[in-house]
Amino acid sequence: MMSAKTKHKVIAIQNLWSTKIQFLKGVGPANAAKLSKLGIFTIGQLLEHYPRRYEDRSKLKLIAELSDGVYETFRAVVVNVGELKSHRGLKIVKIAVRDQTGLAHLTWFNQSYIKNKYKQGMELIISGKIQRRFNTIEVNKPDIELAAEFNSGSGRIVPVYPATEDVPQWQLRALLRQAVDIIQISAGTERTESLPADIIFQYGLMDRLKALASIHFPADMETLAQARRRLVFEELYLLQCGLAYLKQRNKYSCTGVKHAPDGALISKIEKSLPFTLTNDQIQTIREIKADMEDTTPMQRLVQGDVGSGKTVVAALALAKTVENGYQGAMMAPTEILAEQHYHTLARLLAPHGVRLAILTGKLTRRARDEILAHIKDGIIDIVVGTHALIQDDVEFKHLGLVVTDEQHRFGVRQRARLEAKGQQPDVLVMTATPIPRTMALTVYGDLDVSVIRELPPGRQPVATYARGTDRREKVYSFAVNQIKAGRQVYIVCPLVEESEKIEAQSAVKIYEELSTSFFKNYQCGLLHGKMKSQDKDSVMAAFANGEIKALITTTVIEVGVNVPNATVMIIEGADRFGLAQLHQLRGRVGRGEHQSYCILLSDSTNEETIERLKILTQVSDGFVLAEKDLLLRGPGQFFGTIQHGMPDLKIADIIKDTDILLEARRAAQQTVCTPEYLDTVWQTLLNWFGEKFSMVFCR
């Protein structure tokens, strides 16, 4: 218990949650610096440094009871510490430990300092994945605590935190015990509840203080489960409230462009399309038109698998805004993709009198100034471009629709800057990276979502194969036969140039090898991100018009390259790519009338990698692959690549917590339901989230 003096000091603190960590006993400048490496600067951040797992001390195993392939915890005494060198020069630290039932060996590679940390006779608590080999038990790179420090944990269930060598588990537990005591003592002076009382009652949630105490020091597993449910619900509920608020604010507070029903221009364009729209395209276009004919600004996300025909959907939306006397803008992440969109839109719309221009960084000053003047005067109806569109000198006469393609490649601010060039224009964002349902609900909850899953008629699935490099010669012989038949080939490499640090094929090396061997009788091209823009464009143009037969490249062609005559995609070092990226690369072939092939070359023996490549050979639906990729990689990397600006989730796991996510979403929609409460809700969100979140929601 704390002294009366300490208790008085705690109660006097204002805004305890943001109090610096140095307020806690035992945290001086040196320890504060160490804690900062874990992202802990305040008491609140310490309390939200949640355990990554728990040890049930009543279930410590004996060495003889340890199971192969299972993550186990056991108590043992050090009997020997040694280091040896492998034939490959690796330094291996081996520590032998024993209990009354047997012997086990702990191993570390190239971590010599370990041998100085543990001495003979020390009693340890050891956790790790057990490997039983030839009557020996090994644990590679285990988590270790001194038994005396482990005993300092409260209760049978002991938390195990993300930690560093400088901040061990026992120290984190001791600091968190202080922090939990402080917030419990200060309950009467600090705002401790973050959820409305009716939500807590309706969903049967534990109160916040008890949940925080129990997540760190649970009395039993049932209490731990209730505490985690409360904190997960809170995190997802607050996030969903912010997204629901955005949607409601857009609905009630903003008046945008109201487009008229379709007229003669749209009718002529639709009748002249050189292909039949799929049912999904028709439904998506119907939803977009309904949005555009409303006074509420459209905020719609269109998800479409590679080759599903999103560009024609955007073309019709842009034509609609032009028909109503407005201008349209379409932003793409690369010059290659911007040019492709420009040519596609020009082919569909220019014959009907729609005036288009392209704005990229490679334009001459004179050409750029002329285009800018025409945009400002309204002479240009639709402008397609890259980031160049968001420069300050780009002014529209009357911007009615903003389309952002491959939107996950742009940050929140970049999209907002383009939208700000009009008076509440309609907004359409598109992605060819299918997003799992839980991710869409979490990250894009403020947008209406349309999905295009159907591929256009005549498209054949790409035959996909995973092969070891021992089959490389046969793979390239097959590619040569395809070239002889009049087709073209992509070869994708994970690196631009050779690296001493990474064992992977480089585009430069492969280009030199293939152009003098398998493809010596054919024109080869080299394409990578280090090349100048004009050189990249030149190579891509030569490949698109059929001059180059084999294009050796990096993932620079992942998005936006459309060469219907290319039928073979060979991916070197396929184990170095994620499922979603491999699917995007595969989508560069299979865009014409001929059967296409994707061949994944890899010698990886990693089980997860083998499973990932196997899934790609069996599944062609990008949405199914996205769900499987989420399961394999976890949500963290998705949040990183989507770049939507959302905060990292501290405790929620949208894979495991889908049921709680759906509950939290319902509760948020119930809270943010009528316009008269919007200002109150917004202020509450700012209080809950803190100012660091306001930039995310103030879009």
Side-chain angles (χ1 to χ4, degrees):
M1 289 294 292
M2 294 188 174
S3 67
K5 183 178 179 181
T6 305
K7 180 177 177 181
H8 178 75
K9 182 180 178 184
V10 170
I11 291 175
I13 295 173
Q14 297 298 313
N15 198 10
L16 178 61
W17 202 256
S18 59
T19 299
K20 289 184 178 180
I21 194 70
Q22 284 175 263
F23 171 79
L24 296 178
K25 183 180 178 181
V27 183
N31 277 332
K34 293 175 183 178
L35 287 164
S36 70
K37 294 178 181 179
L38 290 169
I40 300 172
F41 299 90
T42 66
I43 292 177
Q45 289 169 332
L46 175 66
L47 288 164
E48 290 183 345
H49 189 72
Y50 298 119
R52 57 187 172 88
R53 59 184 175 84
Y54 298 84
E55 305 270 351
D56 189 337
R57 281 171 40 190
S58 67
K59 296 181 180 178
L60 290 178
K61 293 287 188 73
L62 295 170
I63 288 177
E65 299 172 334
L66 300 175
S67 302
D68 183 45
V70 178
Y71 195 96
E72 305 262 37
T73 301
F74 61 101
R75 184 190 297 258
V77 175
V78 176
V79 294
N80 184 54
V81 178
E83 184 177 35
L84 53 89
K85 275 191 177 181
S86 73
H87 65 281
R88 295 171 59 188
L90 289 175
K91 292 182 179 179
I92 306 172
V93 174
K94 274 190 175 286
I95 297 180
V97 296
R98 177 184 292 280
D99 70 4
Q100 64 267 37
T101 66
L103 190 71
H105 292 91
L106 318 179
T107 59
W108 291 263
F109 294 91
N110 286 336
Q111 291 179 272
S112 295
Y113 70 90
I114 294 289
K115 67 185 179 185
N116 299 318
K117 288 187 64 175
Y118 303 107
K119 306 295 181 185
Q120 187 174 350
M122 279 187 174
E123 189 173 10
L124 309 177
I125 302 297
I126 302 150
S127 300
K129 189 174 182 180
I130 305 303
Q131 294 179 315
R132 283 186 172 271
R133 294 176 177 171
F134 309 110
N135 297 320
T136 64
I137 295 174
E138 282 195 14
V139 189
N140 183 35
K141 200 177 178 183
D143 289 330
I144 294 181
E145 293 180 64
L146 298 179
E149 293 169 354
F150 186 77
N151 286 333
S152 67
S154 174
R156 295 185 304 112
I157 302 169
V158 179
V160 179
Y161 297 93
T164 65
E165 291 291 332
D166 293 335
V167 186
Q169 294 292 331
W170 66 266
Q171 186 176 19
L172 282 170
R173 291 190 194 115
L175 292 175
L176 275 153
R177 171 53 70 191
Q178 277 194 68
V180 167
D181 287 346
I182 289 171
I183 61 168
Q184 288 177 326
I185 292 171
S186 303
T189 62
E190 295 287 333
R191 175 185 170 84
T192 59
E193 191 49 77
S194 58
L195 300 181
D198 59 333
I199 296 295
I200 293 173
F201 176 78
Q202 182 178 347
Y203 290 92
L205 301 171
M206 182 182 284
D207 75 71
R208 191 164 199 267
L209 275 188
K210 185 177 179 182
L212 280 168
S214 298
I215 201 72
H216 293 291
F217 303 108
D220 50 53
M221 296 306 288
E222 176 60 28
T223 304
L224 173 60
Q226 290 179 20
R228 186 181 182 280
R229 178 174 178 268
R230 154 63 206 234
L231 295 171
V232 168
F233 184 100
E234 172 185 285
E235 187 168 50
L236 294 174
Y237 167 79
L238 296 178
L239 185 59
Q240 290 296 321
C241 272
L243 294 169
Y245 170 81
L246 278 181
K247 203 165 188 177
Q248 290 292 83
R249 183 186 64 179
N250 185 51
K251 182 175 180 180
Y252 290 108
S253 305
C254 303
T255 301
V257 176
K258 180 175 173 59
H259 292 81
D262 291 350
L265 177 62
I266 292 295
S267 179
K268 284 193 297 182
I269 292 171
E270 288 182 341
K271 287 177 181 177
S272 67
L273 290 176
F275 42 77
T276 302
L277 295 173
T278 65
N279 291 329
D280 282 355
Q281 285 175 315
I282 292 169
Q283 177 60 28
T284 298
I285 291 167
R286 186 180 296 126
E287 291 167 350
I288 290 170
K289 288 179 177 178
D291 287 349
M292 294 178 73
E293 291 168 17
D294 195 347
T295 55
T296 300
M298 174 171 68
Q299 293 279 336
R300 183 167 291 277
L301 169 71
V302 175
Q303 288 192 73
D305 210 344
V306 286
S308 62
K310 297 180 298 300
T311 306
V312 69
V313 169
L316 290 171
L318 289 163
K320 186 176 182 69
T321 206
V322 171
E323 184 176 58
N324 282 264
Y326 298 99
Q327 294 168 290
M330 186 172 189
M331 185 165 67
T334 66
E335 290 189 358
I336 290 176
L337 185 53
E339 289 184 4
Q340 181 176 304
H341 282 320
Y342 170 73
H343 292 303
T344 301
L345 294 175
R347 188 170 64 251
L348 295 173
L349 306 181
H352 302 282
V354 178
R355 300 162 297 185
L356 299 98
I358 184 166
L359 190 65
T360 62
K362 69 177 186 179
L363 291 174
T364 64
R365 181 62 181 267
R366 181 176 179 180
R368 177 182 169 81
D369 288 345
E370 184 178 351
I371 290 173
L372 291 179
H374 288 169
I375 295 172
K376 186 175 181 179
D377 293 338
I379 296 172
I380 291 173
D381 298 315
I382 296 171
V383 58
V384 182
T386 56
H387 298 77
L389 284 175
I390 63 176
Q391 299 302 312
D392 292 339
D393 57 356
V394 180
E395 297 179 51
F396 290 83
K397 183 178 182 180
H398 208 169
L399 184 61
L401 174 65
V402 170
V403 180
T404 308
D405 193 27
E406 291 305 326
Q407 59 77 42
H408 63 285
R409 296 186 172 222
F410 296 102
V412 173
R413 289 183 178 180
Q414 291 171 315
R415 295 198 302 275
R417 284 184 65 183
L418 182 55
E419 293 167 29
K421 293 184 180 292
Q423 296 295 318
Q424 300 296 337
D426 286 331
V427 175
L428 185 66
V429 293
M430 305 196 301
T431 179
T433 305
I435 303 161
R437 177 170 174 259
T438 50
M439 288 297 294
L441 289 176
T442 307
V443 184
Y444 298 109
D446 58 318
L447 303 179
D448 295 307
V449 181
S450 295
V451 178
I452 305 176
R453 297 188 73 133
E454 289 179 90
L455 294 180
R459 285 281 176 91
Q460 302 178 57
V462 177
T464 306
Y465 305 93
R467 295 288 184 262
T469 56
D470 59 327
R471 304 282 293 277
R472 203 163 169 264
E473 187 172 332
K474 288 185 177 181
V475 168
Y476 281 108
S477 295
F478 171 75
V480 169
N481 289 333
Q482 284 285 298
I483 293 175
K484 288 179 179 177
R487 309 285 84 79
Q488 291 166 272
V489 176
Y490 291 102
I491 298 96
V492 175
C493 306
L495 301 177
V496 174
E497 297 171 331
E498 281 193 275
S499 167
E500 293 181 3
K501 297 180 180 179
I502 304 173
E503 292 184 12
Q505 296 283 17
S506 74
V508 173
K509 180 184 176 184
I510 292 291
Y511 172 76
E512 292 171 352
E513 175 192 335
L514 295 178
S515 60
T516 56
S517 57
F518 288 100
F519 301 138
K520 63 182 179 181
N521 297 321
Y522 305 98
Q523 182 69 35
C524 293
L526 175 63
L527 184 69
H528 56 74
K530 291 185 177 180
M531 294 168 62
K532 294 179 180 178
S533 292
Q534 60 189 42
D535 294 334
K536 285 191 287 186
D537 293 343
S538 176
V539 171
M540 202 58 243
F543 187 64
N545 65 30
E547 294 174 30
I548 291 175
K549 302 300 181 183
L551 181 63
I552 295 91
T553 178
T554 59
T555 56
V556 69
I557 54 92
E558 178 185 353
V559 170
V561 178
N562 185 26
V563 182
N565 191 49
T567 58
V568 179
M569 167 66 68
I570 298 171
I571 303 177
E572 293 273 4
D575 50 284
R576 299 190 63 81
F577 302 94
L579 257 182
Q581 193 171 34
L582 288 171
H583 181 59
Q584 288 291 314
L585 290 169
R586 176 170 64 179
R588 297 309 102 208
V589 295
R591 307 176 80 86
E593 59 181 317
H594 305 287
Q595 175 63 55
S596 292
Y597 307 87
C598 178
I599 303 166
L600 313 169
L601 291 174
S602 170
D603 284 334
S604 175
T605 56
N606 180 276
E607 290 181 10
E608 183 180 305
T609 299
I610 293 170
E611 176 64 17
R612 186 170 72 245
L613 299 183
K614 182 180 177 182
I615 288 171
L616 201 76
T617 66
Q618 297 171 340
V619 179
S620 59
D621 187 320
F623 290 90
V624 175
L625 284 172
E627 296 286 351
K628 291 183 179 293
D629 204 18
L630 181 60
L631 290 171
L632 285 173
R633 292 198 294 158
Q637 292 185 46
F638 272 90
F639 276 103
T641 57
I642 284 175
Q643 297 179 12
H644 192 68
M646 287 293 154
D648 291 332
L649 297 175
K650 294 184 177 69
I651 191 169
D653 181 327
I654 61 169
I655 303 172
K656 299 175 183 176
D657 298 324
T658 301
D659 291 343
I660 301 177
L661 169 61
L662 295 176
E663 282 187 331
R665 183 173 171 79
R666 284 196 299 272
Q669 290 169 339
Q670 172 185 328
T671 302
V672 189
C673 58
T674 53
E676 57 264 31
Y677 292 128
L678 288 184
D679 290 339
T680 303
V681 169
W682 178 242
Q683 190 55 52
T684 305
L685 286 171
L686 282 180
N687 291 339
W688 288 342
F689 279 117
E691 292 299 327
K692 63 180 179 178
F693 292 95
S694 62
M695 274 180 44
V696 174
F697 295 124
C698 288
R699 291 198 267 133

